[in-house]
Amino acid sequence: MGLAPVGTPVETTPGDRRREQRGWYFYDWANSAFDTTVVAVFLGPYLSDIAKAAADADGFVHPLGADLRAKAVYPLAVTLSVVLQVLVLPLAGALADHTGRKRALLGAFAYVGAFATMGLYFVGGGRYLLGVALFVVGNLALGASTVVYNAFLPDIAAPDERDAVSSRGWGLGYLGGGLLLVLDLVLFLAHDAFGVTKGEAVRISLASAGVWWAAFTLIPLRALRDRRRTPAAEPLPAAVRSAFGRLAGTLRDMRGRPVALLFLLAFLVYNDGVQTVITMSATFATEELKLGQTDVIAAVLLVQFVACGGSLLLGRLARRYGAKRVVLTSLVLWTAVVLAAYGLRRGSAAEFLALAAAIGVVLGGTQALSRSLFSHLLPRDRAAEYFGFYVISDKGTSWLGPLVFAAALQWTDSYRTALVSLVIFFVVGFALLVTVDVPRGVRESGNPLPRRL
């Protein structure tokens, strides 16, 4: 099939769409290994240990002449990657929309991230700066590839299909990330039986996330197709300059789409609450409930596998009741989960695991349906650019929740009160989402109305 001129969509049959959808799902499967194995479990403690090994007698390292506590290295690496995402992700979306080469850009960003993740195998012996650099590159590439990946959703799914398609992608992502994490934990916990040290087991686990990411990215790259392209002869610097121009145009365009902006604000608020609950749950379990690391790891795995089923369940409910109603209901359930956490008994692993299961039910569906709902509100010719701002709201601005949590902890000296303080994000997010006139936003963007919203 030849390439269509710029702005001309390629016609697809239902069979073509289903083939692309099946391939598209596997990018969630591929990249989720970075979030689970690298971010959630292994890299933070390992990189902190590497930095401590390079520290002076007072516990400081000195990158670029600065005096930095070794234990602050990983949090600052996360902060740096987030700041860069805020700057880069909208540009990645603009580049995808300008060139129309979403498939090539997805592959480029994915493999930069995957190879950076593989490189974490070589982080050891005090080479903490190498670890910081590779993590920042990997996390930045993950965000950029996610922007392009999300922008395929309007191409491969008809309006009435998007809730189900988005939910299946999220569900498969949780399953894939959880499966690799199980394999890595087996290696880590039984490292002596495999003839490796604990440090080597961690390095192998970190690298395995990159290998997993690279290998399974081949599936979407084989299945997905570009709908349009600019001339192949355009040099990359020229394309980047044009992308900056498109980005400025998108910022002006967004001012004329108040519904999409209001949805982004609502998502930013309630997703900040979601991310903070996930981030702080392990600390709450160990510091307040006095549970061991084994219980925390079991909860992480439980959330991964339950979230797979939760995504599919909420996707089916959205088909009947509409995505907005299901997301609103999920925010009520998030509020109930956080309030229930206040009453957990100290030392009760069973109660904490039950709460983790409840989080898994609503976690994937909240994220998947938010993505599909937003896809109806954006103009098709600027889908990647709008998803650039969406992914920033997802990955790059989740700072207010931890700040509220820390402030409540500072004032009350209670992890229970600090966790309950996060209810405000679900309440405010609910109130904002209620006011989002989704049908109006769909019409403003020139998109067809699905049967259920």
Side-chain angles (χ1 to χ4, degrees):
M1 178 184 292
L3 292 173
V6 174
T8 302
V10 173
E11 297 297 328
T12 59
T13 67
D16 292 333
R17 288 204 309 274
R18 285 192 294 272
R19 180 183 63 83
E20 288 191 89
Q21 289 166 9
R22 288 192 293 268
W24 183 83
Y25 300 148
F26 271 91
Y27 191 65
D28 257 319
W29 171 284
N31 70 58
S32 292
F34 185 88
D35 282 328
T36 53
T37 291
V38 176
V39 177
V41 177
F42 286 109
L43 185 61
Y46 181 71
L47 191 57
S48 297
D49 288 342
I50 295 298
K52 290 174 185 175
D56 60 23
D58 297 320
F60 285 85
V61 291
H62 307 280
L64 304 176
D67 296 326
L68 181 65
R69 290 191 183 277
K71 61 185 179 182
V73 166
Y74 180 65
L76 287 177
V78 174
T79 300
L80 177 60
S81 70
V82 167
V83 170
L84 290 176
Q85 282 184 338
V86 171
L87 299 174
V88 170
L89 299 195
L91 179 61
L95 189 63
D97 281 336
H98 170 67
T99 64
R101 299 174 183 275
K102 289 189 284 192
R103 179 176 173 274
L105 286 171
L106 175 64
F109 292 137
Y111 281 105
V112 167
F115 283 115
T117 306
M118 292 181 210
L120 291 171
Y121 178 83
F122 301 101
V123 175
R127 293 191 291 271
Y128 69 94
L129 285 179
L130 175 63
V132 168
L134 290 171
F135 168 73
V136 169
V137 171
N139 204 31
L140 187 60
L142 174 63
S145 67
T146 301
V147 169
V148 183
Y149 167 70
N150 286 345
F152 270 105
L153 181 58
D155 292 337
I156 65 171
D160 290 319
E161 299 174 322
R162 289 185 201 167
D163 293 336
V165 170
S166 184
S167 297
R168 291 178 194 133
W170 273 106
L172 199 62
Y174 279 112
L175 188 61
L179 178 59
L180 181 64
L181 182 56
V182 167
L183 298 175
D184 288 331
L185 287 171
V186 169
L187 173 64
F188 176 73
L189 296 174
H191 59 87
D192 288 333
F194 289 97
V196 297
T197 67
K198 183 179 291 188
E200 288 170 337
V202 171
R203 289 162 52 210
I204 292 169
S205 297
L206 292 170
S208 74
V211 174
W212 183 280
W213 189 355
F216 286 106
T217 293
L218 292 172
I219 298 175
L221 292 182
R222 286 177 60 86
L224 295 170
R225 294 181 300 153
D226 291 326
R227 266 51 184 181
R228 60 175 185 83
R229 291 184 183 176
T230 53
E234 184 180 25
L236 180 60
V240 172
R241 287 194 297 272
S242 298
F244 272 111
R246 281 191 64 97
L247 187 56
T250 297
L251 291 172
R252 292 192 296 270
D253 183 75
M254 291 179 77
R255 293 199 295 268
R257 302 187 191 278
V259 177
L261 281 176
L262 182 59
F263 177 86
L264 273 178
L265 177 60
F267 176 73
L268 186 153
V269 172
Y270 68 73
N271 186 64
D272 211 336
V274 170
Q275 298 302 323
T276 307
V277 170
I278 298 303
T279 302
M280 297 302 171
S281 290
T283 303
F284 177 76
T286 56
E287 297 297 325
E288 178 63 32
L289 302 182
K290 304 302 180 184
L291 300 178
Q293 193 66 27
T294 302
D295 296 321
V296 173
I297 290 173
V300 169
L301 291 174
L302 182 62
V303 167
Q304 290 295 124
F305 292 113
V306 173
C308 173
S311 296
L312 299 177
L313 173 62
L314 268 64
R316 291 178 66 87
L317 292 174
R319 186 167 58 189
R320 181 170 182 178
Y321 299 106
K324 180 180 174 181
R325 291 186 183 91
V326 175
V327 172
L328 287 169
T329 303
S330 77
L331 297 181
V332 174
L333 295 176
W334 272 108
T335 302
V337 164
V338 171
L339 293 175
Y342 187 89
L344 294 183
R345 291 176 295 178
R346 184 167 295 179
S348 178
E351 291 181 3
F352 182 67
L353 290 174
L355 193 72
I359 287 174
V361 170
V362 293
L363 175 61
T366 304
Q367 295 170 319
L369 295 178
S370 295
R371 176 170 66 183
S372 60
L373 193 57
F374 184 61
S375 74
H376 296 293
L377 304 178
L378 47 86
R380 286 287 296 273
D381 62 337
R382 295 184 182 272
E385 291 157 85
Y386 273 79
F387 268 119
F389 292 100
Y390 177 88
V391 175
I392 285 176
S393 300
D394 185 18
K395 297 180 180 293
T397 58
S398 296
W399 56 269
L400 186 57
L403 180 62
V404 169
F405 186 95
L409 186 61
Q410 174 71 20
W411 290 333
T412 67
D413 194 28
S414 168
Y415 279 97
R416 295 176 188 269
T417 303
L419 196 62
V420 169
S421 71
L422 300 177
V423 165
I424 188 66
F425 291 94
F426 301 115
V427 172
V428 173
F430 182 97
L432 289 171
L433 185 57
V434 164
T435 65
V436 175
D437 187 346
V438 179
R440 175 191 166 193
V442 175
R443 290 191 294 269
E444 286 178 349
S445 297
N447 295 321
L449 278 169
R451 287 192 297 271
R452 294 285 187 183
L453 279 171

